[in-house]
Each structure stands twice: as structure tokens, then as C-alpha cells.
Amino acid sequence: MAIERTLSIIKPDATKRNLTGKINAKFEDAGLRIVAQKRIHLTKAQAGVFYAVHKERPFFDELTTFMASEPVVVQVLEGEDAISKNREVMGATNPADAAPGTVRAEFAESVGENSVHGSDAPETAAVEIAYFFSGLELVG
């Protein structure tokens, strides 16, 4: 397996409940390293650019409003097969379908307020990481 990097976002529903440390512990316990991290407050426009792939979907406005509602923690996780490992730790998008012990099973409030985001492929990860971080900020 290759060492990969993936973007992770701890979303507003989790940051407002002060769950950043608990969520990060799950990533680290799974063997992922946090090689970059910052807490930011997105504007609706910035969230719209990030989630532009969903622009035509009916939930786009609700998603961008939610992502701009409170601060988020954006971070880069690194490790063997980091993209799929991160997605496994996150759990299914719908917390009702998420496996016990996953972030979403334990912390998500709903399908929309599901506590975390993670890249879904190496190409997506590269674009998403570059949106939030310069190369100088990645300190593995």
C-alpha cells in the first residue's frame, strides 16, 4: 500500500460541540498522521467554491450555508491507504448506516450534519488539499 494524503474537514456541527480532539484521536488511532491543520471560518462563497461539484444538486444551498455557519477544522491526514482508511473511520454518510465506533455513528447529528468530510479519491484529495493549504504548510 502506498503512503497517501487526504483532506479531512471537521464540520461545524462537530466544532461547535468541541469534538475536534475526539475525532482526531480516532484518525490517529487508525494510524493516520495529521500533517497540516487549521481552524477557519468559511464564507458561504468559499464553501460554494469548495463544493462546486454539487452546485446543481438540491442540497447545495443548505450545504454551503451549513459549512459557513460555524468554524471548521481543515486538515491533511497522511498514512498507508489514507483515503480509504479515512473514509472507513468516518463511516457512512447517513449516521444510521454508519458502523459502530465510526465518527459519524458516534458524533453525527443527521445526514446533512455528519461531522466530517473526507476526500474520495487521490485526484480529489490533491485538489481539495491545494484549496486550503500551500506546500509549505504540509509538514509530514
Side-chain angles (χ1 to χ4, degrees):
M1 289 186 220
I3 298 295
E4 295 177 328
R5 287 182 171 168
T6 187
L7 184 81
S8 168
I9 301 176
I10 300 176
K11 294 181 177 182
D13 62 298
T15 62
K16 75 179 177 185
R17 291 180 289 143
N18 204 28
L19 297 173
T20 301
K22 290 178 181 178
I23 292 170
N24 282 342
K26 287 189 171 291
F27 295 138
E28 291 177 333
D29 289 347
L32 296 168
R33 291 183 27 176
I34 300 167
V35 297
Q37 181 182 68
K38 57 188 166 186
R39 184 180 181 94
I40 61 174
H41 198 146
L42 293 170
T43 65
K44 186 173 168 66
Q46 289 167 327
V49 171
F50 181 76
Y51 285 108
V53 67
H54 298 303
K55 190 171 185 144
E56 302 304 319
R57 311 278 299 265
F59 59 82
F60 180 75
D61 185 63
E62 182 180 349
L63 173 62
T64 55
T65 298
F66 166 63
M67 291 300 291
S69 68
E70 298 278 340
V72 298
V73 174
V74 292
Q75 55 195 8
V76 179
L77 305 177
E78 180 182 82
E80 286 189 22
D81 206 21
I83 295 166
S84 65
K85 189 175 287 186
N86 179 40
R87 296 184 72 76
E88 181 180 316
V89 172
M90 289 190 311
T93 302
N94 183 342
D97 298 332
T102 62
V103 171
R104 289 176 173 151
E106 290 189 24
F107 304 123
E109 297 185 313
S110 67
V111 173
E113 295 187 10
N114 60 25
S115 299
V116 286
H117 164 90
S119 304
D120 62 3
E123 301 78 18
T124 309
V127 170
E128 291 182 347
I129 290 168
Y131 185 75
F132 290 110
F133 295 96
S134 74
L136 292 174
E137 296 174 294
L138 304 173
V139 290

